[in-house]
Amino acid sequence: MARDKTLIVGNWKMNLNMGEASLYVHQLSKMVKPHRDVEVILAPTSLVLQSLSLQINPRQFKLAAQNFYWRDQGAYTGEISASQLRGVVQYALVGHSERRHVFHESDKDTRAKVQAAIRNRIKPILCIGETAFERSEGETNDVLHDQLIGGLANITSEELEQVAIAYEPVWAIGSGQNAVPADVTAAARAIRSQIKHLYGEKAANNIAILYGGSVKEDSAADYLALDEIDGLLVGGASLDAHVFNEIIKKAHKPASAGKE
Ligand code: 13P
């Protein structure tokens, strides 16, 4: 995905019911000023995607699915497909650490989902990151390498233009223990170097890389200031519309507002 906008994604996970989601969007829509250099993406429960798609101003917010099944239709009780989400969401999270670790999704599942999203004109945000153990063993770059290769197998250079990568170290998610900016830069460089190896230098320079893991109002700006980082994937701190708005505000760079 091109790096012309900073992407701020709010992943609500399994929080907020229908009434709460609608109230939240009502509140946030009064606060957020649309800017050309910022894309605000909400990833609520699937239950409210359709109603929120009618409630939001599409210039102000985009929607993302937190999950979906990779087949387009069929006898898969309880699942939602990317083809059913088509036209409702513009983005989808794929390979989130909670999908990998709580629901045991493999790289094979992840790759099938990246393909299903692209097939249905939904931009996948491929989430990758190492566990605390892998980090302590010095395996971070190997894990990023394996998850990238695993998730992007069969994706062409042209299709890669639809993909964003989110670096979310598992140990930083929901722990309050966020990665230090220097480590985030190092991980993003490792990701770009792997993309360069797979797709060439242009693709590596062009792909959007987000950081996620215990991002809060007071740490957001530190990550957004990093040259390698093109946005944030925010969990807990996105659940309060006021706090999320403070994070969104940090993404708009008046210096680049010449584009507006
Ligand atoms: P937290 O911001 O709550 O750590 O969650 C991060 C995350 O998993 C976003 O997808």
Side-chain angles (χ1 to χ4, degrees):
M1 204 176 299
R3 304 175 70 189
D4 55 340
K5 285 174 196 274
T6 298
L7 308 183
I8 305 292
V9 188
N11 176 10
W12 300 358
K13 309 192 177 182
M14 201 173 67
N15 295 293
L16 306 188
N17 64 24
M18 286 168 60
E20 289 163 345
S22 173
L23 182 62
Y24 174 112
V25 169
H26 176 72
Q27 289 175 336
L28 192 67
S29 64
K30 290 193 170 166
M31 294 184 252
V32 171
K33 188 174 178 300
H35 291 292
R36 275 192 204 173
D37 63 337
V38 182
E39 183 108 302
V40 180
I41 304 166
L42 304 175
T45 162
S46 305
L47 197 57
V48 299
L49 283 171
Q50 213 264 336
S51 60
L52 291 191
S53 75
L54 302 174
Q55 183 181 341
I56 58 171
N57 169 356
R59 282 192 56 237
Q60 195 177 29
F61 304 121
K62 302 284 189 276
L63 292 174
Q66 293 177 16
N67 183 39
F68 56 93
Y69 188 51
W70 57 272
R71 290 199 192 268
D72 282 343
Q73 70 271 313
Y76 302 102
T77 302
E79 295 296 326
I80 298 175
S81 70
S83 80
Q84 291 170 317
L85 290 164
R86 187 177 184 147
V88 178
V89 302
Q90 295 71 43
Y91 295 87
L93 303 184
V94 177
H96 190 277
S97 91
E98 286 144 22
R99 300 302 317 168
R100 294 179 192 264
H101 296 284
V102 184
F103 299 99
H104 309 295
E105 283 185 12
S106 65
D107 278 332
K108 199 163 158 246
D109 298 318
T110 301
R111 140 187 353 155
K113 289 181 179 199
V114 170
Q115 289 173 317
I118 290 173
R119 184 164 74 236
N120 287 289
R121 303 196 186 287
I122 294 169
K123 295 175 180 150
I125 301 173
L126 174 63
C127 306
I128 60 176
E130 80 287 359
T131 62
F133 178 73
E134 289 160 342
R135 181 182 178 78
S136 70
E137 296 288 299
E139 293 171 358
T140 299
N141 285 357
D142 292 339
V143 172
L144 298 179
H145 168 271
D146 291 351
Q147 291 182 347
L148 272 178
I149 298 225
L152 296 176
N154 308 331
I155 296 298
T156 66
S157 310
E158 202 180 22
E159 289 169 337
L160 189 73
E161 290 171 15
Q162 303 302 311
V163 179
I165 306 293
Y167 171 56
E168 290 210 305
V170 179
W171 51 270
I173 296 177
S175 63
Q177 202 194 340
N178 49 324
V180 297
D183 287 350
V184 173
T185 291
R189 287 200 177 131
I191 292 168
R192 283 192 206 285
S193 133
Q194 187 55 39
I195 296 286
K196 182 176 167 189
H197 185 68
L198 293 170
Y199 295 96
E201 188 153 8
K202 187 158 169 258
N205 291 337
N206 283 348
I207 195 157
I209 301 180
L210 318 187
Y211 170 71
S214 294
V215 174
K216 303 285 178 244
E217 191 181 330
D218 54 5
S219 59
D222 294 342
Y223 300 113
L224 291 171
L226 301 174
D227 285 344
E228 296 287 345
I229 290 298
D230 308 296
L232 299 170
L233 182 44
V234 186
S238 74
L239 291 175
D240 179 298
H242 289 92
V243 174
F244 193 48
N245 179 50
E246 290 306 315
I247 294 176
I248 293 167
K249 281 196 322 208
K250 295 183 178 24
H252 173 53
K253 308 236 164 49
S256 66
K259 291 186 208 155
E260 289 187 71

mmCIF file of all heavy atoms in Angstrom, residues 11 13 93 96 98 168 172-175 212-216 233-237, ligand 1:
data_model
loop_
_atom_site.group_PDB
_atom_site.id
_atom_site.type_symbol
_atom_site.label_atom_id
_atom_site.label_comp_id
_atom_site.label_asym_id
_atom_site.label_seq_id
_atom_site.Cartn_x
_atom_site.Cartn_y
_atom_site.Cartn_z
ATOM 1 N N ASN A 11 -8.407 -0.948 16.427
ATOM 2 C CA ASN A 11 -8.882 -2.334 16.495
ATOM 3 C C ASN A 11 -9.615 -2.516 17.826
ATOM 4 O O ASN A 11 -8.987 -2.607 18.876
ATOM 5 C CB ASN A 11 -7.671 -3.281 16.388
ATOM 6 C CG ASN A 11 -8.075 -4.741 16.553
ATOM 7 O OD1 ASN A 11 -9.263 -5.074 16.566
ATOM 8 N ND2 ASN A 11 -7.088 -5.607 16.682
ATOM 9 N N LYS A 13 -11.268 -5.009 18.803
ATOM 10 C CA LYS A 13 -11.306 -6.420 19.243
ATOM 11 C C LYS A 13 -12.738 -6.777 19.635
ATOM 12 O O LYS A 13 -13.680 -6.274 19.023
ATOM 13 C CB LYS A 13 -10.279 -6.656 20.353
ATOM 14 C CG LYS A 13 -8.888 -6.124 19.940
ATOM 15 C CD LYS A 13 -7.766 -6.551 20.816
ATOM 16 C CE LYS A 13 -6.459 -6.005 20.250
ATOM 17 N NZ LYS A 13 -5.290 -6.392 21.003
ATOM 18 N N LEU A 93 -7.898 -6.774 8.756
ATOM 19 C CA LEU A 93 -6.718 -7.278 9.459
ATOM 20 C C LEU A 93 -6.566 -8.741 9.084
ATOM 21 O O LEU A 93 -7.566 -9.472 8.999
ATOM 22 C CB LEU A 93 -6.900 -7.177 10.982
ATOM 23 C CG LEU A 93 -7.202 -5.795 11.556
ATOM 24 C CD1 LEU A 93 -7.259 -5.881 13.083
ATOM 25 C CD2 LEU A 93 -6.148 -4.783 11.129
ATOM 26 N N HIS A 96 -3.576 -11.353 12.653
ATOM 27 C CA HIS A 96 -3.380 -10.710 13.961
ATOM 28 C C HIS A 96 -2.885 -11.750 14.968
ATOM 29 O O HIS A 96 -3.276 -12.915 14.907
ATOM 30 C CB HIS A 96 -4.698 -10.085 14.443
ATOM 31 C CG HIS A 96 -4.499 -9.214 15.641
ATOM 32 N ND1 HIS A 96 -4.436 -9.735 16.916
ATOM 33 C CD2 HIS A 96 -4.303 -7.882 15.763
ATOM 34 C CE1 HIS A 96 -4.213 -8.734 17.767
ATOM 35 N NE2 HIS A 96 -4.132 -7.605 17.092
ATOM 36 N N GLU A 98 -3.668 -12.410 17.883
ATOM 37 C CA GLU A 98 -4.719 -13.150 18.608
ATOM 38 C C GLU A 98 -5.332 -14.230 17.718
ATOM 39 O O GLU A 98 -5.759 -15.270 18.206
ATOM 40 C CB GLU A 98 -5.764 -12.164 19.137
ATOM 41 C CG GLU A 98 -5.202 -11.396 20.341
ATOM 42 C CD GLU A 98 -5.639 -9.946 20.432
ATOM 43 O OE1 GLU A 98 -6.671 -9.583 19.859
ATOM 44 O OE2 GLU A 98 -4.898 -9.171 21.078
ATOM 45 N N GLU A 168 3.545 -5.964 14.934
ATOM 46 C CA GLU A 168 2.952 -5.992 16.276
ATOM 47 C C GLU A 168 3.658 -7.061 17.107
ATOM 48 O O GLU A 168 3.276 -8.239 17.065
ATOM 49 C CB GLU A 168 1.458 -6.346 16.195
ATOM 50 C CG GLU A 168 0.600 -5.261 15.604
ATOM 51 C CD GLU A 168 -0.818 -5.303 16.189
ATOM 52 O OE1 GLU A 168 -1.472 -6.349 16.131
ATOM 53 O OE2 GLU A 168 -1.247 -4.275 16.726
ATOM 54 N N ALA A 172 4.111 -6.978 23.240
ATOM 55 C CA ALA A 172 3.719 -5.575 23.470
ATOM 56 C C ALA A 172 2.206 -5.388 23.428
ATOM 57 O O ALA A 172 1.703 -4.334 23.811
ATOM 58 C CB ALA A 172 4.384 -4.682 22.422
ATOM 59 N N ILE A 173 1.485 -6.403 22.958
ATOM 60 C CA ILE A 173 0.047 -6.247 22.769
ATOM 61 C C ILE A 173 -0.690 -6.366 24.099
ATOM 62 O O ILE A 173 -0.583 -7.388 24.785
ATOM 63 C CB ILE A 173 -0.487 -7.291 21.755
ATOM 64 C CG1 ILE A 173 0.138 -7.042 20.387
ATOM 65 C CG2 ILE A 173 -2.004 -7.260 21.695
ATOM 66 C CD1 ILE A 173 -0.257 -8.048 19.328
ATOM 67 N N GLY A 174 -1.406 -5.312 24.449
ATOM 68 C CA GLY A 174 -2.227 -5.326 25.656
ATOM 69 C C GLY A 174 -1.435 -5.439 26.941
ATOM 70 O O GLY A 174 -1.996 -5.658 28.009
ATOM 71 N N SER A 175 -0.106 -5.273 26.871
ATOM 72 C CA SER A 175 0.731 -5.484 28.052
ATOM 73 C C SER A 175 1.143 -4.180 28.709
ATOM 74 O O SER A 175 1.658 -4.187 29.820
ATOM 75 C CB SER A 175 2.001 -6.239 27.639
ATOM 76 O OG SER A 175 2.745 -5.441 26.738
ATOM 77 N N GLY A 212 2.059 -1.550 16.025
ATOM 78 C CA GLY A 212 0.998 -1.759 17.010
ATOM 79 C C GLY A 212 1.529 -2.482 18.231
ATOM 80 O O GLY A 212 2.440 -3.309 18.134
ATOM 81 N N GLY A 213 0.939 -2.170 19.385
ATOM 82 C CA GLY A 213 1.352 -2.803 20.642
ATOM 83 C C GLY A 213 1.448 -1.758 21.731
ATOM 84 O O GLY A 213 2.435 -1.027 21.811
ATOM 85 N N SER A 214 0.364 -1.663 22.534
ATOM 86 C CA SER A 214 0.327 -0.732 23.670
ATOM 87 C C SER A 214 0.591 0.719 23.280
ATOM 88 O O SER A 214 1.207 1.469 24.037
ATOM 89 C CB SER A 214 1.299 -1.167 24.775
ATOM 90 O OG SER A 214 0.868 -2.394 25.345
ATOM 91 N N VAL A 215 0.147 1.117 22.074
ATOM 92 C CA VAL A 215 0.274 2.528 21.692
ATOM 93 C C VAL A 215 -0.723 3.332 22.514
ATOM 94 O O VAL A 215 -1.897 2.969 22.622
ATOM 95 C CB VAL A 215 -0.030 2.738 20.195
ATOM 96 C CG1 VAL A 215 -0.046 4.232 19.852
ATOM 97 C CG2 VAL A 215 0.990 2.002 19.335
ATOM 98 N N LYS A 216 -0.251 4.396 23.130
ATOM 99 C CA LYS A 216 -1.109 5.276 23.933
ATOM 100 C C LYS A 216 -0.968 6.698 23.402
ATOM 101 O O LYS A 216 -0.099 6.986 22.590
ATOM 102 C CB LYS A 216 -0.694 5.229 25.412
ATOM 103 C CG LYS A 216 -0.713 3.830 26.034
ATOM 104 C CD LYS A 216 -2.122 3.332 26.312
ATOM 105 C CE LYS A 216 -2.135 1.937 26.889
ATOM 106 N NZ LYS A 216 -2.766 0.928 26.069
ATOM 107 N N LEU A 233 -1.498 0.800 14.658
ATOM 108 C CA LEU A 233 -2.614 -0.120 14.880
ATOM 109 C C LEU A 233 -2.846 -0.107 16.396
ATOM 110 O O LEU A 233 -2.013 -0.582 17.161
ATOM 111 C CB LEU A 233 -2.226 -1.510 14.360
ATOM 112 C CG LEU A 233 -3.216 -2.643 14.422
ATOM 113 C CD1 LEU A 233 -4.598 -2.225 13.976
ATOM 114 C CD2 LEU A 233 -2.727 -3.798 13.547
ATOM 115 N N VAL A 234 -3.956 0.492 16.791
ATOM 116 C CA VAL A 234 -4.187 0.802 18.201
ATOM 117 C C VAL A 234 -5.309 -0.082 18.743
ATOM 118 O O VAL A 234 -6.394 -0.133 18.157
ATOM 119 C CB VAL A 234 -4.594 2.292 18.357
ATOM 120 C CG1 VAL A 234 -4.693 2.667 19.831
ATOM 121 C CG2 VAL A 234 -3.623 3.199 17.622
ATOM 122 N N GLY A 235 -5.057 -0.769 19.851
ATOM 123 C CA GLY A 235 -6.089 -1.596 20.472
ATOM 124 C C GLY A 235 -6.781 -0.830 21.583
ATOM 125 O O GLY A 235 -7.661 0.006 21.346
ATOM 126 N N GLY A 236 -6.380 -1.105 22.831
ATOM 127 C CA GLY A 236 -7.036 -0.540 24.008
ATOM 128 C C GLY A 236 -7.285 0.964 23.946
ATOM 129 O O GLY A 236 -8.374 1.437 24.290
ATOM 130 N N ALA A 237 -6.289 1.715 23.477
ATOM 131 C CA ALA A 237 -6.426 3.183 23.473
ATOM 132 C C ALA A 237 -7.387 3.682 22.390
ATOM 133 O O ALA A 237 -7.696 4.868 22.347
ATOM 134 C CB ALA A 237 -5.053 3.835 23.302
HETATM 135 P P1 13P B 1 -3.127 -2.781 22.352
HETATM 136 O O1 13P B 1 -2.988 -1.394 21.764
HETATM 137 O O2 13P B 1 -4.291 -2.898 23.287
HETATM 138 O O3 13P B 1 -1.839 -3.266 22.908
HETATM 139 O O4 13P B 1 -3.481 -3.754 21.116
HETATM 140 C C1 13P B 1 -2.684 -3.742 19.996
HETATM 141 C C2 13P B 1 -3.328 -4.564 18.956
HETATM 142 O O5 13P B 1 -3.369 -5.775 19.029
HETATM 143 C C3 13P B 1 -3.927 -3.868 17.814
HETATM 144 O O6 13P B 1 -4.267 -4.755 16.807
#
